[in-house]
Amino acid sequence: MTALNGEDEVVGLCRDLIRIDSTNAGDNTGPGERAAAEYVAEKLAEVGLEPRILESDSRRANVVARISGEDPSRDALLLHGHLDVVPFNADDWTHHPLSGEIADGCVWGRGAVDMKDMDAMILAVVRQRLSEGRRPPRDVVLAFTADEEAGGSYGAQWLTDNHADLFEGCTEAIGEVGGFSVSLDEARRLYLIETAEKGIAWMRLTAHGRAGHGSMLNHENAVTELAEAVGRIGRYEWPVRLTQTVKTFLAEVSEALELELDADDAEATVAKLGPLARMIGATLRNTANPTMLAGGYKANVIPQTATAHVDGRFLPGYEDEFFETVDRLLGPNVTREFVYHDIAIETGFDGPLVRAMADALVAEDPGALAVPYTLSGGTDLKAFSRLGMRGFGFAPLRLPADLDFSGMFHGVDERVPTDSLRFGVRVLDRFLDGC
């Protein structure tokens, strides 16, 4: 087999994946992930693997393959990435989101950072290593999943429920939203490695009242009850709760920036982090944001019910407090039910795998400082954690200091620097050597 070069391939792989429409609006009516899954499976088969395409529903496809390691007695490692992307309005973009255009040193398109960039880096490094006959120290399972952007019911959750045997022996997992750089100055960069995720509680609120004519007195108005409950939830100031991951992050950053960390005012430290403050600030407390309202059908009719949706996120260890608070804020005439509910997860920032990540980063960027952080959203790690895996977000990218990377997740003009993709391949290659 002719040896392949991952750095030469990764940009083309990323562009190809972006050009495959795998938009997921959450209602199972889109194009699905089948075309992207077939592309990935073909690239893996070309270097001798035997990937399996597993459909959970029509065109909702996942790909799983296993690479035999040098020491099969060791626990296996999972590398995973999702193939679906969120919808877009092409008119808002500088370059069409399905074009995979290269401009200003970047690959543009939906999925460039979430997360076809990591899919491409995994493919590139695996193809290079296998074409060179280099096996990892232990078994590595590859999973490219469907439906992550809508909770994973057709993807990671379905795989862990129906095909857990494919992940036999996996005790650790590497996925998205971590390993990217944040510049401290010209010489030093933080690389945020995700070690925790907030839990998810998408809730539908329903207010119950007495229907009637809009001109009459009515003290059981469902719209009024709902509006007051939504107002209480939306304006509530959740208390700061510092988890172990957040404490470690703040301590590391404070030392690096030579800031005095006031344990009683963590927000003051976070406020000094520039654009990163938006992402980290949401991990200091639980949150609950009203997102949708509906009620009534005519201007002069008081409806019997009214509904709202709330996006709730709770910190690891604070789920009970979150729901106790929400129920108190709802009041007696408003009920809640789950649209989607998933766990919070957290692991320590220690052990050989963490050292392998940090060492690989420093080897490619001597100014790197690896630090743990909590993701305010959620990923497929939640599903894989149910199989007993310890999970991390590690999609390594060295980024320009002025690139608002976190702001491009689900945003307009999503793009990833080509040099960052090549950097990621080098880091992942070193990481696999030391995993």
Side-chain angles (χ1 to χ4, degrees):
M1 181 185 299
T2 303
L4 301 171
N5 187 308
E7 288 188 68
D8 290 344
E9 280 204 314
V10 67
V11 172
L13 292 168
C14 187
R15 297 181 75 193
D16 287 349
L17 286 166
I18 287 171
R19 288 166 176 161
I20 300 172
D21 186 0
S22 53
T23 304
N24 181 6
D27 56 6
N28 204 27
T29 62
E33 299 84 2
R34 179 75 197 199
E38 290 176 350
Y39 175 88
V40 167
E42 178 184 357
K43 294 300 181 182
L44 295 176
E46 286 176 358
V47 290
L49 293 179
E50 297 179 356
R52 292 184 61 183
I53 297 179
L54 302 153
E55 276 195 346
S56 53
D57 200 357
S58 178
R59 300 195 65 77
R60 307 310 303 273
N62 305 268
V63 182
V64 181
R66 182 180 285 259
I67 305 171
S68 297
E70 293 176 348
D71 184 357
S73 68
R74 290 185 58 193
D75 292 335
L77 171 70
L78 172 66
L79 295 183
H80 64 95
H82 62 84
L83 297 172
D84 61 322
V85 297
V86 295
F88 52 81
N89 181 356
D91 292 339
D92 295 335
W93 288 58
T94 303
H95 303 283
H96 194 282
L98 295 180
S99 69
E101 186 77 24
I102 295 181
D104 302 322
C106 294
V107 180
W108 296 61
R110 179 59 87 212
V113 303
D114 187 15
M115 65 170 294
K116 291 180 175 179
D117 58 338
M118 179 60 164
D119 295 334
M121 290 191 295
I122 293 173
L123 285 176
V125 73
V126 165
R127 282 168 58 82
Q128 175 175 324
R129 293 179 68 93
L130 293 182
S131 72
E132 295 172 346
R134 290 192 294 134
R135 291 191 296 161
R138 53 170 161 162
D139 281 10
V140 172
V141 175
L142 308 175
F144 297 85
T145 62
D147 199 39
E148 190 275 344
E149 296 293 2
S153 297
Y154 296 99
Q157 288 195 33
W158 179 81
L159 284 173
T160 55
D161 287 342
N162 296 278
H163 296 281
D165 58 300
L166 297 178
F167 307 99
E168 182 179 357
C170 289
T171 57
E172 295 171 309
I174 297 296
E176 64 173 327
V177 202
F180 58 92
S181 70
V182 177
S183 294
L184 297 177
D185 50 43
E186 291 185 1
R188 299 179 303 160
R189 280 155 295 280
L190 298 176
Y191 284 84
L192 277 63
I193 295 175
E194 184 213 305
T195 60
E197 295 180 2
K198 295 177 83 173
I200 302 173
W202 295 343
M203 297 171 287
R204 180 184 297 108
L205 312 183
T206 303
H208 305 273
R210 176 168 53 86
H213 198 288
S215 67
M216 302 292 182
L217 295 175
N218 189 324
H219 299 296
E220 301 172 60
N221 189 318
V223 173
T224 302
E225 292 283 355
L226 181 73
E228 291 175 345
V230 167
R232 287 192 295 269
I233 290 173
R235 289 190 296 268
Y236 182 71
E237 290 291 331
W238 293 86
V240 170
R241 299 284 187 252
L242 298 184
T243 63
Q244 186 57 53
T245 294
V246 172
K247 289 178 183 177
T248 303
F249 170 85
L250 291 174
E252 292 277 4
V253 171
S254 296
E255 181 178 351
L257 295 177
E258 298 181 347
L259 298 174
E260 182 177 350
L261 174 59
D262 183 351
D264 296 323
D265 191 7
E267 290 180 303
T269 300
V270 170
K272 299 174 183 177
L273 299 180
L276 190 60
R278 182 176 55 206
M279 173 182 280
I280 300 301
T283 69
L284 300 181
R285 49 168 54 88
N286 296 329
T287 59
N289 288 308
T291 55
M292 297 170 63
L293 286 169
Y297 50 89
K298 198 170 186 292
N300 63 344
V301 177
I302 299 171
Q304 189 172 1
T305 61
T307 62
H309 286 73
V310 172
D311 184 344
R313 310 285 174 139
F314 50 88
L315 291 163
Y318 292 94
E319 181 173 2
D320 290 344
E321 179 184 84
F322 174 81
F323 287 116
E324 289 169 0
T325 303
V326 167
D327 288 342
R328 174 169 51 82
L329 295 171
L330 287 178
N333 297 318
V334 181
T335 60
R336 63 172 171 86
E337 58 184 325
F338 290 124
V339 176
Y340 181 74
H341 177 214
D342 210 342
I343 58 174
I345 56 176
E346 185 170 36
T347 189
F349 192 60
D350 54 14
L353 200 69
V354 170
R355 288 196 296 274
M357 287 185 272
D359 289 347
L361 287 167
V362 171
E364 292 297 330
D365 179 4
L369 173 63
V371 296
Y373 89 107
T374 300
L375 180 66
S376 59
T379 74
D380 282 339
L381 279 177
K382 296 182 186 299
F384 294 122
S385 73
R386 292 187 171 94
L387 295 182
M389 296 184 215
R390 183 184 183 212
F392 301 89
F394 185 63
L397 298 169
R398 178 172 173 172
L399 300 167
D402 59 351
L403 184 68
D404 183 11
F405 184 71
S406 63
M408 287 192 292
F409 282 81
H410 298 188
V412 173
D413 284 346
E414 189 179 345
R415 61 197 183 275
V416 61
T418 56
D419 287 345
S420 299
L421 291 171
R422 297 184 183 100
F423 172 87
V425 169
R426 296 194 301 272
V427 172
L428 285 177
D429 190 35
R430 290 181 181 274
F431 166 73
L432 287 176
D433 280 340
C435 74

